[in-house]
């Protein structure tokens, strides 16, 4: 449905997008992740035909966004980061106005459909300016859906919402995604993890990760975290010895701990890689038995998408630093040869 090929965008001398490429298939819910300033909104504005690329190609439903912008807009429902609404209009008046602008044939049927889809039945006659932020987001979504497009593009749809509104919006997006292709941009990683089947990670204008959440976990190194709750019931006060023994296990990357109450400790143990699941847990279990501690809990969690993002972007920045250092070394070598 959406194909991005070697997309580059300059603002003057500033490189906002650096030769990025990705594909979104029909029926997918895809998260577009990155910190503020990474290039998410620029990418979306190019896809939605609001901004021309410096170079590269973008196709939406087979149409080139620069050559067939009218056809592209007919295929897309777009909810920008800051939803432009008319506060003096009532919800139904606004939707009727937008349906007319978009040349929707049966406006009444379309309005009734989006009111039901976006759960706006309680506020159809309310002034938009008097609505909560959550309801205004729903009105924006209804506007995006009024022409019944097959593709829905959402830029930071939960920005500024309270926790209840975020949950409601998240559930609404999941329901909408059952019948549409959804491309959702966000810097709130837990939201994407609960909505999307696939994620694309962008950092400093470049794609640094793409795939399912599990594939991205593998790209981050296949790490997982093991949580342990144990008590030093004999009071031997050998916590330092226990921590050092855990750190000496080959598969362990890092160990953190804190004392909850008298001699009861919680440990967070990060593995070096996925490995054969269960073996590291067995070694940890045996260690606590050997140290004569009472083991109360031991469970494993995969890295969250937020942790995956941190791992991938950190690796990318380390690669950049090494490349810069190599470049500096080469320049120094050239200068030395000139002097010789």
């Amino acid at each position: 449905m959406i194909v991005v090929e070697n997309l580059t965008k300059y603002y003057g001398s500033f490189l906002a997008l650096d030769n990025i490429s990705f594909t979104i298939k029909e029926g997918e819910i895809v998260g577009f992740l990155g910190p503020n300033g990474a290039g998410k909104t620029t990418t979306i504005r190019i896809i939605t035909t609001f901004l021309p690329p410096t170079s590269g190609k973008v196709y939406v439903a087979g149409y080139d966004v620069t050559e067939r912008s009218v056809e592209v807009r007919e295929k897309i429902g777009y909810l920008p980061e800051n939803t432009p609404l008319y506060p003096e209009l009532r919800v139904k008046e606004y939707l009727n106005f937008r349906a007319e602008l978009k040349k929707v044939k049966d406006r009444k049927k379309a309005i009734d459909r989006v009111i039901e889809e976006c759960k706006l039945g309680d506020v159809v006659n309310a002034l938009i300016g008097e609505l909560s932020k959550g309801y205004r987001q729903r009105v924006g979504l209804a506007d995006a859906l009024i022409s019944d497009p097959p593709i829905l593009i959402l830029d930071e749809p939960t920005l500024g919402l309270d926790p209840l509104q975020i949950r409601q919006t998240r559930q609404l997006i999941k329901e909408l995604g059952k019948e549409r292709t959804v491309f959702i941009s966000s810097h709130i990683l837990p939201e994407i993890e609960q909505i999307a089947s696939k994620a694309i990670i962008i950092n400093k204008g470049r794609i640094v990760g793409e795939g399912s959440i599990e594939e991205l976990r593998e790209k981050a190194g296949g790490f997982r975290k093991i949580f342990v709750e144990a008590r030093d019931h004999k009071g031997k006060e050998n916590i330092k010895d226990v921590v050092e023994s855990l750190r000496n296990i080959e598969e362990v990357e890092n160990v953190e701990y804190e004392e909850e109450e008298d001699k009861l400790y919680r440990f967070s143990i990060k593995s070096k890689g996925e490995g054969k699941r269960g073996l590291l847990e067995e070694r940890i279990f045996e260690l606590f038995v050997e140290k004569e501690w009472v083991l109360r809990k031991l469970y494993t969690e995969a890295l969250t998408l937020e942790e995956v993002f941190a791992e991938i972007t950190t690796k990318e920045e380390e690669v950049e630093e090494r490349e810069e250092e190599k470049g500096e070394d080469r320049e120094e070598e050239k200068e030395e040869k000139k002097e010789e």
Side-chain angles (χ1 to χ4, degrees), residues 31-36 40 156-161 166 170 184-195 305-306 309:
F32 194 38
L33 307 174
N36 291 328
K40 301 187 303 296
E156 301 282 0
T158 61
L159 189 66
L161 301 185
I166 288 173
R170 182 172 63 219
I184 174 171
S185 160
S186 180
H187 69 281
I188 305 173
L189 278 66
E191 293 303 310
I192 297 299
E193 192 165 19
Q194 295 183 54
I195 295 172
L305 189 53
E306 189 167 2
F309 176 80

Side-chain angles (χ1 to χ4, degrees), residues 127-138 161 165:
L127 289 170
I128 291 175
E130 296 177 356
L131 297 178
S132 67
K133 172 79 177 190
Y135 269 115
R136 289 199 298 272
Q137 282 292 83
R138 291 192 199 183
L161 301 185
Q165 292 169 340

